[in-house]
Amino acid sequence: MSGHYTADEMMTVAAARLLRNGAVCFVGIGLPSTAANLARLIHAPEAVLVYESGPIGAKPPVLPLSIGDGNLAETADTVVSTPEIFRYWLQGGRIDVGFLGAAQLDRFANINTTVVGPYQKPTVRLPGAGGAPEISSSAKEVLIIVKQSKRTFVERLDFITSVGFLNGGDARERARLPGKGPVAVITDLCVLRPNDVTRELEVRTIHPGVDRRNIEESTSWAIRFAEDCGETEPPATEELRVLRDLKMRTAVAHGDPGEAA
Amino acid sequence: MAEWTSLSEAVSALVRDGDTIAMEGFTHLIPFAAGQEIIRQRRKSLSLIRMTPDVIYDQMIGAGCARKLTFSWGGNPGVGSLHRFRDAVENGWPGPLELEERSHSDLANAYVAGAANLPFAVLRGYTGSDFMQVNDRIRNITCPFTGEVLAATPAVRTDVTVIHAQKADWKGNVQLWGILGVQKEAVLAAKRAIVTVEERVRTLDAPPNACILPSWVVTAVCEVPRGATPSYAHGYYDRDNAFYRTWDRIARVRDRFQDWIERHILQTRDFDEYLRVQRDPQIQAVYS
């Protein structure tokens, strides 16, 4: 056991564990980048981190604050142009895992990062797509890391920016999307995976100290729990040490105590 | 052949009200000095294109330079929202802003199409998303060989493209390195191109595969040291992360933003003077 840890640390550790060694991973900035780099420093030293700004095989010594920080280019195996990263490497089918965040997510793991409210008169204008639509469709698999609340886990998306399983069932296969879609959603409360048939997200493991009511109250739809739903392995001492060390080094390097958004 | 000029002369001669303008640089080498000169010369009704609008377009949108924005990700990287962009979209301030929203992959492909003098880009994307409902310029096309349905989107063609690079030689041949983004494609998709550089050198002495824009695809080249700050220039200076966080406070409130623009851009003669104001601790204490 490892003593005290935060829900955010549990989320990052749980997400990092799902990135296998040697995987070629297209990494979004923020939480996905933290989890992917944690994996690289612990159990996946051969993971190839690809950032949409062009670095392939980046090994940043501290977490990048933006998607195109200089330390990504300096530590990469190669740096290619933005058109090349999307054309040859992502659309070309060379990405094993796409690692994404989300502003809103529905039960079939479709993602909205565009608007809250009507498109023409939004109540909140979000940043938009970035590389996510093509990552979610072309990466062989997708991992999504997002904090869980009624605001993020919504009944109906205001806009589908990036597709998960569309309306569920075999909708994604019928749409002929190249990749197989989200394989897991990691939150600060639990790990969810799509049901094999309906493709609706089901809670597979619950983080220690969280109960089913917490999860139900943080979800806008009637969330399902897998029959074999268990407990997430708590963070090991080593996992926490490496994560905290990485974040401390990052804060010193960027002159800021906060985490990258 | 590119002509060496001051940035002020380049903007004055080459950027006109109503132009379609791309200012590119993916986190790296963002042409901030040029963006500010466009504000200083009070250009209006511009159709702005940029994959990641960033703080540079937040300044230009808030200052009233833009009529339309074509983009694919509009945030303050590592910080949060672009408040001037959001105020324009959500409240129409300082004026309405037409949006043409696309994805990174789409815009990258569309710049390639523009550089290649083709009418449209073709890509595997957007399937199942809501983009086609809000942007009628994203359409389907069927491959004549396989029958596969793909997305077709219009090429990016600009009146003016502006980029920042590390250096240029006395003839105006430009070299850039590090994260290259879509700068080369954006220049080749333009009728006129302005390049600001960190330094003017005798010779580039570049290896054979270096990213070089030959002088004859560039219209004006301007020596503007630190011209990409608060973004960074690989090999010259780091990203000013603190400014990106400070910008969040400046841009959040209209009055504060207008005061900043007035003091830093409209009342300064050029980028050198902007840098002096930016380094003045007494002036900056107001914004931190």
Side-chain angles (χ1 to χ4, degrees):
Chain A
M1 261 309 289
S2 45
H4 295 294
Y5 56 87
T6 66
D8 280 5
E9 287 174 333
M10 178 73 257
M11 169 169 66
T12 305
V13 166
R17 287 173 187 158
L18 296 178
L19 185 65
R20 64 182 182 279
N21 195 17
V24 179
C25 180
F26 206 105
V27 188
I29 203 67
L31 292 170
S33 176
T34 307
N37 278 288
L38 179 62
R40 187 176 60 77
L41 294 172
I42 295 178
H43 66 273
E46 302 299 322
V48 178
L49 305 193
V50 177
Y51 287 77
E52 67 192 14
S53 58
I56 295 173
K59 296 163 273 289
V62 300
L63 296 171
L65 194 65
S66 81
I67 196 79
D69 273 16
N71 67 13
L72 297 172
E74 279 156 9
T75 60
D77 298 329
T78 181
V79 182
V80 301
S81 71
T82 308
E84 184 177 327
I85 207 84
F86 283 106
R87 288 157 68 91
Y88 299 175
W89 301 87
L90 179 57
Q91 191 170 265
R94 292 180 172 83
I95 303 298
D96 296 321
V97 183
F99 217 143
L100 297 175
Q104 283 186 338
L105 181 120
D106 69 13
R107 70 179 73 210
F108 296 116
N110 301 299
I111 290 173
N112 172 20
T113 54
T114 302
V115 284
V116 177
Y119 185 83
Q120 296 301 342
K121 190 70 190 153
T123 49
V124 182
R125 176 61 235 198
L126 298 165
E134 283 77 18
I135 297 169
S136 70
S137 56
S138 284
K140 288 172 195 162
E141 294 181 354
V142 172
L143 296 172
I144 300 167
I145 178 167
V146 57
K147 287 193 194 187
Q148 191 166 352
S149 72
K150 280 207 156 119
R151 213 159 55 93
T152 53
F153 275 48
V154 300
E155 177 69 42
R156 198 183 138 72
L157 297 181
D158 292 316
F159 190 93
I160 297 179
T161 313
S162 307
V163 295
F165 295 104
L166 299 164
N167 298 319
D170 63 353
R172 186 178 170 105
E173 287 77 11
R174 279 189 282 113
R176 298 187 171 196
L177 291 155
K180 73 179 191 188
V183 292
V185 177
I186 305 96
T187 81
D188 48 344
L189 304 178
C190 60
V191 176
L192 306 100
R193 291 187 183 267
N195 178 283
D196 288 342
V197 179
T198 66
R199 314 313 272 163
E200 182 175 329
L201 291 172
E202 294 177 338
V203 178
R204 284 296 173 87
T205 67
I206 300 174
H207 299 338
V210 176
D211 63 34
R212 290 188 176 211
R213 244 189 65 206
N214 298 143
I215 295 171
E216 285 162 351
E217 285 170 355
S218 303
T219 310
S220 294
W221 70 85
I223 196 160
R224 293 170 189 273
F225 294 81
E227 276 178 31
D228 58 349
C229 180
E231 188 175 79
T232 313
E233 186 73 26
T237 309
E238 177 67 359
E239 288 171 323
L240 283 178
R241 189 190 64 74
V242 176
L243 174 59
R244 288 171 183 172
D245 186 53
L246 175 63
K247 289 193 139 188
M248 194 183 299
R249 275 186 282 133
T250 299
V252 169
H254 295 316
D256 176 44
E259 191 190 354
Chain B
M1 288 287 283
E3 193 182 342
W4 279 96
T5 70
S6 71
L7 177 55
S8 160
E9 288 169 316
V11 168
S12 171
L14 302 174
V15 180
R16 294 153 202 165
D17 287 352
D19 273 355
T20 296
I21 298 189
M23 305 183 78
E24 280 294 351
F26 207 113
T27 303
H28 178 216
L29 295 175
I30 300 174
F32 270 95
Q36 294 181 359
E37 185 58 31
I38 290 171
I39 295 172
R40 200 175 278 117
Q41 296 195 20
R42 299 178 189 266
R43 288 295 181 275
K44 296 273 179 285
S45 303
L46 302 176
S47 178
L48 297 176
I49 305 173
R50 181 172 158 76
M51 293 179 65
T52 56
D54 200 278
V55 168
I56 184 176
Y57 276 8
D58 213 35
Q59 293 176 353
M60 293 174 72
I61 291 165
C65 301
R67 164 185 73 75
K68 178 179 176 183
L69 174 68
T70 301
F71 77 111
S72 44
W73 191 86
N76 179 343
V79 179
S81 290
L82 291 175
H83 298 291
R84 295 297 96 224
F85 158 68
R86 279 187 57 179
D87 200 15
V89 176
E90 294 169 12
N91 308 307
W93 192 93
L97 182 69
E98 184 189 339
L99 291 187
E100 180 170 334
E101 182 154 12
R102 300 165 67 168
S103 72
H104 275 355
S105 181
D106 174 359
L107 270 183
N109 275 281
Y111 274 116
V112 171
N117 194 23
L118 287 169
F120 65 89
V122 60
L123 67 151
R124 206 178 271 123
Y126 291 124
T127 305
S129 77
D130 285 338
F131 279 90
M132 282 189 189
Q133 291 172 29
V134 299
N135 183 348
D136 66 3
R137 281 153 61 84
I138 300 169
R139 299 185 191 171
N140 284 328
I141 188 169
T142 303
C143 169
F145 304 103
T146 64
E148 183 177 359
V149 177
L150 299 154
T153 65
V156 169
R157 311 304 296 267
T158 70
D159 295 311
V160 190
T161 288
V162 185
I163 66 162
H164 186 77
Q166 277 98 339
K167 57 186 181 181
D169 66 16
W170 64 277
K171 288 180 184 165
N173 296 301
V174 172
Q175 185 182 3
L176 57 158
W177 64 88
I179 288 176
L180 297 171
V182 290
Q183 283 98 307
K184 181 176 176 177
E185 291 76 12
V187 165
L188 296 180
K191 292 188 190 128
R192 308 184 286 281
I194 299 172
V195 182
T196 55
V197 294
E198 286 299 320
E199 61 173 335
R200 176 175 175 160
V201 295
R202 265 183 74 79
T203 58
L204 293 176
D205 289 326
N209 297 110
C211 183
I212 303 278
L213 292 164
S215 173
W216 50 273
V217 298
V218 176
T219 319
V221 58
C222 319
E223 190 175 29
V224 188
R226 300 194 69 81
T229 192
S231 78
Y232 71 103
H234 206 127
Y236 289 78
Y237 47 89
D238 291 333
R239 191 170 188 266
D240 184 355
N241 291 322
F243 182 82
Y244 277 85
R245 287 192 292 270
T246 304
W247 184 254
D248 186 78
R249 290 192 290 276
I250 295 166
R252 201 175 275 274
V253 184
R254 288 176 188 170
D255 287 353
R256 205 175 169 82
F257 164 79
Q258 284 182 308
D259 170 70
W260 188 92
I261 287 281
E262 194 66 37
R263 186 75 194 79
H264 290 74
I265 302 180
L266 297 176
Q267 289 177 10
T268 56
R269 208 171 35 249
D270 56 20
F271 195 66
D272 278 345
E273 196 181 339
Y274 162 82
L275 289 177
R276 280 197 294 279
V277 170
Q278 191 60 44
R279 282 193 208 104
D280 185 326
Q282 273 187 314
I283 296 172
Q284 294 314 313
V286 179
Y287 304 101
S288 56

